[in-house]
Amino acid sequence: MKKMLLLALLSTAAFATEIKPSAIPAEMEGMEPELRADGTFLMGGPTYFYDRILGAGGIHSESELWSSSKLRDRLLFNRVSGVLSWAPMDPSIWLKTGNELGDMIYQDFITPEKNRPMNHTPILEGGFRTPNLLGFWATARLFQDDHFAQKTTSYRKAVVDDSFAFFGENWPLFSSAYGGFGYTNSFVNASVVAGEEYYWMFTGTSRWLPVHNKPRVEGRVDVMDLSVTVAYEDAEYQNLLKKEAGSRKELSGSVYYKCGDACKQGVMQMSAGMAFRAVEDSGNVYTELEEDRVFWPFMELRVQPTRRLTADVMFGINERDWMVQDSIQFVAPTPKDMGTVVGVKNISATRLNPLADTKEFFNNQEVELTAEGQMSLMQAYMNFADTLGNVALGGRGSFWAEYGAEGFDVVHYDVDNGYRVRYGDVARINSWIKGITGELWLGMWYEKMFNFKASAGFERIDGEVNRAEVTPAEYYVGFAADWMIRKSLKVSHSIHYRSDAQWNLRSADPFIVKGDWYWDATFEQQFPKHGIYLSGTLMHVLANEMVEVPNASYNSLRFICSAKKTF
């Protein structure tokens, strides 16, 4: 049992993206990075954030890097995001709402409009998925997140011709609705959903672009080890200030054959797939995909000659780009069953995301979103974990070096609708940037009643970091705990401190995000026999309300509650 626990702990340590701070639910799918302590996570809104985990290596945001694990995520400009997820939920019915604290709703009724305080914005969600009937089921969902919309509302409302949402007049950063059907049995899981959505994406020039999909259709089929996804979007773009409009019809998706259970028993394990996009633009769309289509075939190979030694490689190539991600990992034998993993990994690519658009256009100026040459990131790391009774201790450290990192060569700055924008091209930082990282964590638990984790980490980076989009935070400290009271009331909270981070290229002067304490907490009353779960979450409690991304809105204190009935 102890060895199994150590293996789980080491898997978590070796792949830092799997570490979760506590059981606090994310505001929406894809916004989990905001709850994390172990790195630099700067929120510009649900549809844009800078997410970089401590020890990941390199200076790019994790959302910028393509990987097969993100095949069913959404591509928003040049980032792969879990936000605006149309993945069908488990059979249930649910409601969610919440607000940025400070909004006194009764004032809408008793105070004249001209004297009302600034509106604080809500979150709205409701949906259902029926139980299976002979394998068939139906689903529908409407969800929008108005948070992070307040400061930029006047900027964004000037370029669209209505409230740009299903409900309210807050011009939220996304508002989405869909409905559809599916079929599930022991061999097949298939679904097709269709709907409409409004959202804003943040571009390379620092603009928020409005996109209205009417309709959007997405189909998914999983048959044994084969997964297929196809999505069609009929998107409208507009800018009333310039009296411009455009449309994009896009077909995208993927086919992926992954190594199944039988395959995983062998020494050599293989998976393969292909992702694709094809677009047809008319009018002013503001971005361009070269040749209007891209196909991205890729293959993954794992060789595991012994239980302790594993080698992984992923490579993809098309007529424009190529990418290789590989690693070798060894579980070292140590005394007293302490688990220690050492490994090296490499990323080499012409682009971090080969599926992204290749150009952006504004005011008769062209921005190249691809850079000449290639980037290379090499990293060596070590992780360890040990347990003694109900206590676990672990840590990880790494050294990395990157050459040819993607940056942005600014030609000049301008002002558009009151906000600072930039022009230039994506370019390489053709010099070495190096980093060293370290983290220690301590965990304690008692049966299912209590779970606690404390962690602290640092990162030191040397090189031309001022040419990177963001200079990451240098250190963090975090504490998280979950309690289960009387087997039905779950209380979770997470408190952490992150040091300063800095945006270097979005304005003439660096944009500094000051370090701060952050506290999130959730209370969930469970009625498992009836499948009912009621929760309330407080987010961003201790931190100052601040803008964390240039041309974005404030990250504010807010309360979110939800009710869910499972079938």
Side-chain angles (χ1 to χ4, degrees):
M1 181 66 183
K2 184 177 180 181
K3 289 183 178 179
M4 292 176 63
L5 179 60
L6 276 172
L7 183 60
L9 291 171
L10 283 168
S11 297
T12 301
F15 300 98
T17 55
E18 298 300 319
I19 297 175
K20 296 181 180 179
S22 69
I24 299 169
E27 189 167 315
M28 288 280 183
E29 304 101 303
M31 293 184 68
E32 292 84 0
E34 190 188 13
L35 295 168
R36 298 185 64 125
D38 56 333
T40 306
F41 307 97
L42 307 176
M43 295 293 300
T47 58
Y48 183 87
F49 44 78
Y50 178 85
D51 55 332
R52 183 180 178 279
I53 300 156
L54 183 81
I59 57 174
H60 56 269
S61 176
E62 173 64 24
S63 301
E64 293 178 275
L65 178 65
W66 179 91
S67 75
S68 60
S69 64
K70 305 172 187 176
L71 278 176
R72 284 181 165 169
D73 288 346
R74 297 284 294 275
L75 180 63
L76 302 181
F77 189 60
N78 65 343
R79 295 186 177 233
V80 185
S81 174
V83 175
L84 286 152
S85 171
W86 280 28
M89 302 288 196
D90 293 330
S92 58
I93 182 169
W94 65 92
L95 292 170
K96 181 186 290 186
T97 188
N99 224 35
E100 294 177 352
L101 298 188
D103 185 18
M104 293 176 283
I105 298 175
Y106 67 85
Q107 297 209 42
D108 289 348
F109 302 96
I110 67 174
T111 307
E113 184 172 357
K114 64 179 181 179
N115 296 328
R116 290 177 193 168
M118 181 181 293
N119 183 39
H120 287 240
T121 51
I123 184 175
L124 299 169
E125 179 179 351
F128 70 88
R129 174 178 163 181
T130 65
N132 293 1
L133 178 61
L134 300 177
F136 293 94
W137 48 267
T139 187
R141 183 185 182 195
L142 184 148
F143 57 116
Q144 69 180 47
D145 194 344
D146 294 26
H147 298 163
F148 304 95
Q150 193 178 125
K151 185 173 182 291
T152 61
T153 296
S154 59
Y155 162 81
R156 291 183 293 109
K157 70 188 291 187
V159 301
V160 292
D161 57 8
D162 53 26
S163 60
F164 215 71
F166 286 105
F167 288 105
E169 298 179 351
N170 291 314
W171 286 266
L173 287 173
F174 77 81
S175 182
S176 186
Y178 65 79
F181 302 91
Y183 177 78
T184 301
N185 63 23
S186 57
F187 296 100
V188 178
N189 185 15
S191 65
V192 59
V193 293
E196 183 178 357
E197 66 185 3
Y198 307 83
Y199 67 92
W200 298 78
M201 62 184 184
F202 194 59
T203 70
T205 58
S206 303
R207 289 178 170 86
W208 291 99
L209 282 186
V211 183
H212 183 191
N213 283 329
K214 59 171 193 178
R216 183 178 191 270
V217 183
E218 181 177 307
R220 300 184 178 196
V221 179
D222 296 321
V223 182
M224 302 295 285
D225 301 321
L226 178 67
S227 297
V228 179
T229 306
V230 178
Y232 170 77
E233 297 176 354
D234 190 349
E236 293 184 351
Y237 297 75
Q238 58 180 303
N239 187 336
L240 291 185
L241 291 177
K242 297 182 177 297
K243 296 181 173 57
E244 295 175 343
S247 67
R248 166 174 286 182
K249 293 177 172 58
E250 177 169 338
L251 186 69
S252 63
S254 63
V255 179
Y256 183 40
Y257 184 82
K258 59 184 177 181
C259 181
D261 293 337
C263 166
K264 291 178 181 177
Q265 303 303 314
V267 173
M268 184 174 294
Q269 305 162 20
M270 187 177 298
S271 304
M274 183 180 71
F276 62 89
R277 289 180 68 207
V279 303
E280 181 182 339
D281 296 337
S282 62
N284 297 100
V285 177
Y286 305 114
T287 67
E288 177 187 278
L289 176 63
E290 186 178 337
E291 296 181 359
D292 292 338
R293 52 104 179 123
V294 57
F295 296 93
W296 181 247
F298 63 92
M299 181 173 289
E300 297 169 311
L301 180 65
R302 166 170 286 190
V303 179
Q304 194 167 19
T306 70
R307 185 173 59 90
R308 294 183 177 276
L309 182 64
T310 304
D312 290 287
V313 62
M314 187 289 301
F315 59 90
I317 189 169
N318 62 20
E319 69 273 26
R320 291 199 293 263
D321 295 297
W322 58 267
M323 173 184 285
V324 177
Q325 300 183 46
D326 57 75
S327 66
I328 299 176
Q329 185 169 281
F330 179 67
V331 181
T334 52
K336 298 182 179 180
D337 289 332
M338 176 184 287
T340 301
V341 171
V342 294
V344 293
K345 65 180 183 180
N346 168 73
I347 301 175
S348 296
T350 54
R351 296 187 75 190
L352 291 174
N353 192 333
L355 297 174
D357 283 0
T358 53
K359 290 183 181 179
E360 182 181 352
F361 304 95
F362 268 98
N363 297 334
N364 297 318
Q365 299 190 64
E366 183 177 298
V367 176
E368 288 284 350
L369 301 177
T370 62
E372 297 293 331
Q374 69 180 67
M375 59 83 66
S376 294
L377 169 63
M378 294 166 285
Q379 184 173 21
Y381 61 88
M382 182 185 73
N383 311 303
F384 75 91
D386 196 11
T387 60
L388 179 63
N390 289 356
V391 178
L393 175 68
R396 55 191 171 110
S398 70
F399 171 79
W400 59 267
E402 182 176 21
Y403 188 89
E406 290 186 9
F408 195 93
D409 280 351
V410 181
V411 175
H412 67 94
Y413 296 98
D414 205 344
V415 175
D416 184 7
N417 196 13
Y419 281 82
R420 181 71 64 182
V421 296
R422 65 181 181 179
Y423 293 96
D425 298 302
V426 173
R428 300 281 174 206
I429 304 175
N430 287 320
S431 62
W432 286 102
I433 298 177
K434 308 178 187 68
I436 184 169
T437 68
E439 182 190 55
L440 289 174
W441 56 265
L442 172 70
M444 295 182 290
W445 62 91
Y446 180 71
E447 296 181 346
K448 295 183 179 180
M449 295 174 56
F450 174 71
N451 183 31
F452 170 80
K453 181 178 179 181
S455 56
F458 77 94
E459 180 167 35
R460 173 69 184 181
I461 301 178
D462 291 314
E464 293 188 68
V465 185
N466 61 326
R467 293 187 58 200
E469 192 84 338
V470 172
T471 302
E474 289 188 348
Y475 61 90
Y476 85 94
V477 59
F479 307 90
D482 302 317
W483 291 269
M484 182 65 79
I485 302 172
R486 298 182 66 86
K487 298 182 180 180
S488 63
L489 176 62
K490 189 168 189 177
V491 180
S492 305
H493 80 93
S494 171
I495 182 170
H496 67 272
Y497 179 85
R498 181 194 69 219
S499 63
D500 293 1
Q502 179 175 293
W503 292 82
N504 300 305
L505 306 173
R506 295 280 177 171
S507 56
D509 298 317
F511 182 90
I512 298 173
V513 183
K514 297 297 295 181
D516 211 340
W517 285 96
Y518 300 82
W519 181 41
D520 306 305
T522 191
F523 305 85
E524 182 181 66
Q525 181 63 59
Q526 303 178 354
F527 303 92
K529 292 183 179 179
H530 305 286
I532 296 174
Y533 301 86
L534 308 174
S535 70
T537 301
L538 284 165
M539 302 186 70
H540 205 79
V541 176
L542 294 180
N544 292 322
E545 294 192 352
M546 67 174 71
V547 176
E548 296 179 356
V549 173
N551 286 5
S553 196
Y554 293 98
N555 195 343
S556 302
L557 167 65
R558 52 201 185 274
F559 175 73
I560 300 163
C561 59
S562 67
K564 183 177 183 179
K565 169 70 172 74
T566 61
F567 300 119

